[in-house]
Amino acid sequence: MHQTPPLPPAILLMGPTASGKTACALTLARHLPVEIISVDSALVYRDMDIGTAKPSAAEQAICPHHLIDIISPEEAYSAARFCADARRLMGEISARGRIPLLVGGTMLYYKALRDGLSDLPEADPTLRREIEDAAALEGWPALHDELARLDPDAAARLEPNDAQRIQRALEIVRLTGRPLAASYAQRESSVDTHRLIPIGLTPGERAILHARIEKRFDAMLLAGFVDEVETLRRHYRLDASLPSMRCVGYRQALEYLEGRCSLATFRDKGIFATRQLAKRQITWQRNFRERWGDIQELDCLNPELEKQVLESVCARLPAV
């Protein structure tokens, strides 16, 4: 009887910001034949290095890295594009006899890769402009009222001034004629091409992670984060509505450079926004644990973390 060959392995290393993912990934790279695929919606942007905690050139030289520095800060990157890029790269890496190691904290990308994507329409530039023009004329609360008439459930989950989400919700409802819940329910099926080995880094004590976040943000400031954003403003046409400038820290830096807040306020806002991001990432990961059931969680504050990650992965890999 013909037996189907086992699927090649792929490692998922996820966790909140400042949980030590990069250090753990590089430890794996020193012991296993891995290639790293970044699962980070900020690392895709060129010239955004300090504020994204992008791995240094020396760190990237330890093993091949993918999906870093691939687009301009003026462009957008989506979960759908990530899935297409990641699946292609996973296949190519496995074909080379190596192991894909997916590392990062953009939890939506992990969810899309594992659970499939909703059958949502592509952005429609003309309709989007119409919605933006209406918002400029009437204000986002009026557009929120319109959404409440078309899709009460979606509107109930959004604040009246949540421009980005109201715009997308209205766009989807107008394009499909369906409530958002119906559109999200229609998912593309994703064929399993790899046996996934998910590792989740979770802080045993949230206060210590918060202290790490503050220390890292201050280190970014000392490393020239403000100068980096000023240089970005000179080289690219940037404003706060771009996805790149919605990355944590960059929006707050723009406010400071535009004279809308002090340096101290920028620092406080940046640290607060990063802590909020970590909180959301931890919630996502908890939901993954409940939904998937196969994540091995490790305390990211354990001094032996890198060793634990290596041992956990090796125990779940076929002999290499």
Side-chain angles (χ1 to χ4, degrees):
M1 183 173 163
H2 177 70
Q3 282 192 324
T4 306
L7 294 175
I11 305 159
L12 309 184
L13 181 60
M14 62 188 76
T17 186
S19 59
K21 296 183 295 295
T22 297
C24 289
L26 295 178
T27 293
L28 291 175
R30 291 185 183 99
H31 292 85
L32 297 168
V34 300
E35 294 189 25
I36 291 173
I37 299 173
S38 170
V39 188
D40 191 307
S41 60
L43 296 192
V44 296
Y45 294 111
R46 291 189 290 271
D47 300 323
M48 290 173 56
D49 303 331
I50 297 170
T52 62
K54 190 172 289 177
S56 67
E59 288 171 330
Q60 292 189 47
I62 291 171
C63 76
H65 283 63
H66 305 278
L67 302 188
I68 294 178
D69 293 335
I70 60 173
I71 61 172
S72 154
E74 296 172 342
E75 298 176 78
Y77 194 74
S78 66
R81 184 170 168 189
F82 167 78
C83 286
D85 288 343
R87 287 189 182 120
R88 171 180 54 79
L89 288 163
M90 289 164 72
E92 292 171 359
I93 293 166
S94 295
R96 289 193 283 271
R98 300 174 69 82
I99 303 168
L101 168 56
L102 288 85
V103 183
T106 300
M107 301 302 181
L108 174 62
Y109 288 3
Y110 285 114
K111 184 176 190 302
L113 188 69
R114 189 152 190 186
D115 292 343
L117 285 161
S118 302
D119 182 22
L120 298 180
E122 292 292 320
D124 183 297
T126 304
L127 179 54
R128 186 158 286 195
R129 251 190 322 273
E130 286 177 12
I131 294 170
E132 286 172 351
D133 290 345
L137 208 63
E138 306 166 36
W140 284 107
L143 275 292
H144 184 266
D145 289 343
E146 180 189 341
L147 181 63
R149 290 191 297 274
L150 297 171
D151 188 348
D153 290 341
R157 293 193 298 270
L158 302 178
E159 295 295 324
N161 283 303
D162 192 342
Q164 182 187 354
R165 289 183 175 86
I166 292 170
Q167 180 188 59
R168 182 58 175 149
L170 270 177
E171 184 182 28
I172 292 169
V173 173
R174 287 188 189 178
L175 286 170
T176 65
R178 296 192 304 258
L180 256 66
S183 292
Y184 276 110
Q186 297 190 1
R187 294 192 172 274
E188 296 176 5
S189 60
S190 55
V191 178
D192 288 336
T193 58
H194 288 73
R195 181 173 65 83
L196 301 179
I197 302 171
I199 306 282
L201 308 185
T202 307
E205 192 174 336
R206 197 80 63 94
I208 296 177
L209 183 70
H210 285 178
R212 271 194 191 181
I213 286 169
E214 181 174 358
K215 183 178 179 182
R216 190 170 78 164
F217 198 86
D218 283 337
M220 288 174 176
L221 291 177
L222 287 172
F225 180 29
V226 172
D227 291 338
E228 174 177 276
V229 181
E230 184 61 81
T231 301
L232 287 167
R233 291 174 76 207
R234 286 199 304 270
H235 287 87
Y236 301 99
R237 295 186 299 277
L238 300 179
D239 62 67
S241 69
L242 286 170
S244 61
M245 292 299 104
R246 290 201 295 267
C247 293
V248 165
Y250 285 86
R251 181 190 294 242
Q252 293 78 18
L254 274 184
E255 285 183 16
Y256 166 64
L257 289 170
E258 290 169 358
R260 291 186 283 133
C261 69
S262 67
L263 181 62
T265 300
F266 154 51
R267 175 188 177 272
D268 291 345
K269 282 185 169 185
I271 291 169
F272 178 76
T274 309
R275 288 174 175 170
Q276 290 299 107
L277 170 64
K279 181 181 178 182
R280 292 193 300 272
Q281 290 168 317
I282 291 166
T283 300
W284 271 97
Q285 199 163 288
R286 185 169 63 244
N287 292 339
F288 290 163
R289 183 180 69 236
E290 293 168 359
R291 182 181 179 90
W292 298 340
D294 60 353
I295 296 180
Q296 168 137 26
E297 290 200 297
L298 299 171
D299 185 352
C300 67
L301 306 178
N302 189 316
E304 297 288 309
L305 175 65
E306 292 169 40
K307 180 184 174 187
Q308 287 183 333
V309 168
L310 179 61
E311 288 174 350
S312 174
V313 168
C314 288
R316 298 166 70 185
L317 281 174
V320 292

